[in-house]
Amino acid sequence: MELAVRAAAASCSSYPSLQRAGVPRRLRRSPGLPPLPARRVAVAAAIAVDPVQDIKTEQNDVPETEVFACPVCYEPLIRKGPPGMNLSAIYRSGFKCLKCKKSFTSKDIFLDLTVTSGTKEYSELKPARTELFRSPLVSFLYERGWRQNFNRSGFPGRDEEFQMAQDYFEPVAGGILVDVSCGSGLFARKFATSGAYSSVIALDFSENMLRQCYDYIKQDDTPLNTNLALVRADISRLPFASCSIDAIHAGAAIHCWPSPSNAVAEISRVLRPGGVFVGTTFLSSPTNSGPFSSGALRPLRQIVGPVNSSYNFFTEGELEDLCRSCGLVNYSSKVQRSFIMFSGQKP
């Protein structure tokens, strides 16, 4: 994994900057310049993704390279269809990998960029903690009581957690943000309506979570033509070109990932130099990890297995070590009881 991270870091130094989706060239940030004011970015994005614009021009009929990449070979996908990073434009667009010849479309309200997208016979089951959140019932309940119970462990709540994340993301304001393991879009919707980012991609493996996110978008004050796209993808096979993403958020997620090390390595790969990763999770404690929560007995969990087989809970030292081993620097964190918000930056 260390070699893969070093290779990704090396490619970032020479990888050409991809066009920020939906933001005119004159409004893109240059290295060394301060971030764009949120209002200016919001106006630029609104102009770029106006759903009533003429999409039948010759320019829009020409395939264009996107920030999206093939989940099989990581080659940038070629997009043909209306421009813009919004639900309508993504739904009416087709994506194709010229190397694998694999095509991707939005069969539902989300763009499916998993390796198994388009398969007819093959199917596979993920670990129980992954399959749990694919359930229609859990997806429905997530913002109707499930997530609110996290405050018992010290989670500050949606508004405060959002503002804490925004503080970490301030250096990359105006860029592309991906909310991985977005669930029902609890934070993705707030990021999109904040006007602080050129594009926001709500990404999850659960089809039902993405459908629930779409239902909330229709119900609340998130316009359907805002700079928000819904994408189904595997956290360990992120469908983005290397060094193409400015900010990645993972709220209450890492403890659910089948392989946190592979996932953070992928996050490091797709972040551009200077890009910021922010995550929150439950710290390991006697409640969720038994006698192996910390101290001298901690290494024994590798032998006897986790007390709670559904989730992986880490100490703060382990999270910092993981981020650094995946090539992230400037690690920092904020802790409140069992809640931790941690951040790392791509050098």
Side-chain angles (χ1 to χ4, degrees), residues 114-132:
T114 59
V115 171
T116 56
S117 173
T119 56
K120 297 180 180 179
E121 300 293 334
Y122 179 80
S123 63
E124 64 183 13
L125 289 177
K126 294 290 185 178
R129 55 182 174 271
T130 301
E131 293 298 326
L132 175 68

Side-chain angles (χ1 to χ4, degrees), residues 38 77 115 149 179 183 190:
L77 295 179
V115 171
N149 282 329
D179 187 17
K190 286 186 73 68

Side-chain angles (χ1 to χ4, degrees), residues 109-110 129-130 132-136 138-144 146-147 150 158 178-189 191 201-217 228-233 235 249-254 256-257:
I109 48 83
F110 54 83
R129 55 182 174 271
T130 301
L132 175 68
F133 291 98
R134 298 179 72 184
S135 160
V138 173
S139 300
F140 178 82
L141 293 176
Y142 190 74
E143 288 189 43
R144 296 176 172 90
W146 183 296
R147 184 54 162 77
F150 289 8
R158 183 193 189 194
V178 180
D179 187 17
V180 298
S181 298
C182 68
S184 55
L186 182 69
F187 291 99
R189 304 194 308 271
F191 287 129
I201 300 171
L203 182 149
D204 204 284
F205 188 76
S206 169
E207 305 91 326
N208 284 305
M209 282 292 190
L210 292 170
R211 294 187 184 106
Q212 189 64 60
C213 180
Y214 181 73
D215 288 342
Y216 280 123
I217 290 173
L228 173 63
L230 304 183
V231 173
R232 180 175 184 247
I235 185 62
H249 176 261
I254 191 172
C256 300
W257 294 344

Side-chain angles (χ1 to χ4, degrees), residues 228-249:
L228 173 63
L230 304 183
V231 173
R232 180 175 184 247
D234 189 333
I235 185 62
S236 293
R237 299 288 297 185
L238 290 177
F240 305 110
S242 297
C243 311
S244 61
I245 305 299
D246 298 275
I248 294 182
H249 176 261

Side-chain angles (χ1 to χ4, degrees), residues 168 320 324 327-333 342-347:
Y168 277 119
E320 181 176 2
R324 288 181 174 172
L328 301 179
V329 298
N330 298 331
Y331 176 90
S332 64
S333 65
F342 61 98
S343 176
Q345 190 173 31
K346 183 72 169 288

Side-chain angles (χ1 to χ4, degrees), residues 9-41:
S11 68
C12 287
S13 61
S14 58
Y15 198 93
S17 297
L18 295 178
Q19 177 178 343
R20 294 266 164 75
V23 177
R25 183 179 298 276
R26 67 182 183 277
L27 292 181
R28 288 182 229 149
R29 291 181 298 115
S30 299
L33 293 181
L36 292 173
R39 182 177 179 184
R40 191 177 179 188
V41 173

